[in-house]
Amino acid sequence: MQVQGINEEIKGILFDMDGLLVNSEDLYWQANIQASKEAHLGTPDDTYLKLVGSTTKEMRSFYERYFKTEEERVRFIERTNELVEQWIAAGKLELRPGVQQALDKFYNLDLPLAIVSSNYEKGIEQEMWATGIRNYFQFHLNYDDVKEHHLKAKPAPDIYLWAAQKINIPKQNLLVFEDSSTGVAAAANAGLKCVMIPDLLPPTDQDQENATLICRDFNEFLKRIK
C-alpha cells in the first residue's frame, strides 16, 4: 500500500484499540464523571481527561492525588467499570468514524493487521466481539502480555518491538495507528511510522514531532492511499 506522505510501501498495520478503533475512551470518561458525582467527589468533569492514554505511573499518581483512601479509589474504579459494562451491553460501544471502511480496505489489500493495546485481554476481546471486528486481526497484544513477559508498558517501545517481530514484516514497512500521546511516543520509540488520529485530546507539539501523519479520522487517511 502506498500512502501520500510516506515513502516506503506499507505491508502491515498495527493498531491501538481504545479511543482509536472504538469510542471506549469517551465511555470511560462519561463513566468517570458519573461515578464521581455519585460519590460526591466534587471534581470537575475535565479532570478525568488526565486518564486518557496515561501511563501506569501517571494513573497511580492521579488516583493518589484525587482519592483520600484506597477504598475510595477501588470503589470509583469498580463503579466506572460497571457503568461501561452496562453501556457496552446496551450497544453504546461503537467504531470510530471511518474505521469499518479502513479495515475493509486494508483487508482487501491483503495487509496483515494486529492490535497492540494497553488494555487487558478481557477488555480487548469484549470490544472486538461487540463491534464485529475480531476476525480482521491476525493477533493482539495487550497489558496482560506486558506483565507476563516483564515488558515495559507504553510509552516504552517494548510491546511494539515485539509486535513487529511477531508480524514478521520489516519495521520500515509497518504502519502504526494511535490516538494518544503515550501511544504515539511508544511507536516513535520503537522506530515505527505512526499515524495519529486524536480522540478526546488534541495533538501536542510533541505529537507533531513523533507522528508521521496526523489525521482527523480514518476517512481522511483513506484519501491518502494512492
Side-chain angles (χ1 to χ4, degrees):
M1 179 177 72
Q2 295 291 340
V3 179
Q4 181 183 356
I6 297 176
N7 294 328
E8 295 82 5
E9 181 183 1
I10 301 303
K11 298 181 179 180
I13 303 178
L14 305 174
F15 300 86
D16 180 45
M17 185 76 184
D18 294 283
L20 176 79
L21 297 179
V22 296
N23 67 335
S24 52
E25 292 283 20
D26 183 59
L27 294 185
Y28 273 100
W29 180 37
Q30 297 301 328
N32 287 157
I33 293 170
Q34 183 168 328
S36 172
K37 290 179 178 177
E38 290 176 359
H40 306 290
L41 296 179
T43 48
D45 292 354
D46 62 358
T47 300
Y48 300 100
L49 287 174
K50 296 181 176 67
L51 294 173
V52 176
S54 61
T55 64
T56 304
K57 182 179 180 180
E58 289 169 342
M59 194 172 293
R60 183 168 56 250
S61 175
F62 175 88
Y63 286 131
E64 289 174 353
R65 177 179 178 182
Y66 287 101
F67 295 89
K68 297 178 182 178
T69 67
E70 178 76 7
E71 182 182 358
E72 281 186 355
R73 181 181 72 85
V74 170
R75 191 184 312 117
F76 173 81
I77 294 173
E78 287 179 347
R79 180 54 178 156
T80 294
N81 291 336
E82 180 183 63
L83 287 167
V84 172
E85 289 277 348
Q86 291 175 3
W87 294 343
I88 291 177
K92 291 187 177 182
L93 184 73
E94 300 174 347
L95 296 178
R96 292 194 63 210
V99 169
Q100 187 64 64
Q101 294 87 337
L103 291 177
D104 287 338
K105 177 69 173 180
F106 301 150
Y107 184 82
N108 290 333
L109 290 173
D110 202 26
L111 295 174
L113 311 177
I115 287 177
V116 183
S117 171
S118 296
N119 200 344
Y120 292 91
E121 171 75 13
K122 178 183 177 182
I124 294 298
E125 285 287 350
Q126 181 185 40
E127 291 173 2
M128 287 192 296
W129 286 116
T131 53
I133 62 173
R134 176 64 182 85
N135 293 328
Y136 284 94
F137 305 101
Q138 290 192 354
F139 64 87
H140 56 280
L141 301 178
N142 53 70
Y143 190 62
D144 289 314
D145 296 308
V146 168
K147 291 193 299 180
E148 180 181 350
H149 293 271
H150 307 290
L151 304 177
K152 293 181 180 178
K154 299 177 184 179
D158 300 28
I159 194 169
Y160 272 121
L161 292 173
W162 184 19
Q165 183 179 22
K166 189 175 177 67
I167 205 169
N168 196 28
I169 293 173
K171 286 169 59 175
Q172 66 266 25
N173 301 116
L174 281 175
L175 186 61
V176 172
F177 283 94
E178 277 279 1
D179 68 291
S180 72
S181 297
T182 300
V184 172
N189 290 335
L192 296 169
K193 288 180 281 292
C194 181
V195 176
M196 183 182 196
I197 299 181
D199 183 21
L200 299 179
L201 297 174
T204 64
D205 291 342
Q206 189 63 56
D207 295 333
Q208 299 280 355
E209 292 185 21
N210 287 336
T212 308
L213 298 171
I214 297 179
C215 295
R216 181 181 65 258
D217 55 29
F218 276 94
N219 289 319
E220 182 178 330
F221 175 80
L222 288 173
K223 295 176 182 178
R224 289 180 168 268
I225 297 176
K226 298 178 181 179

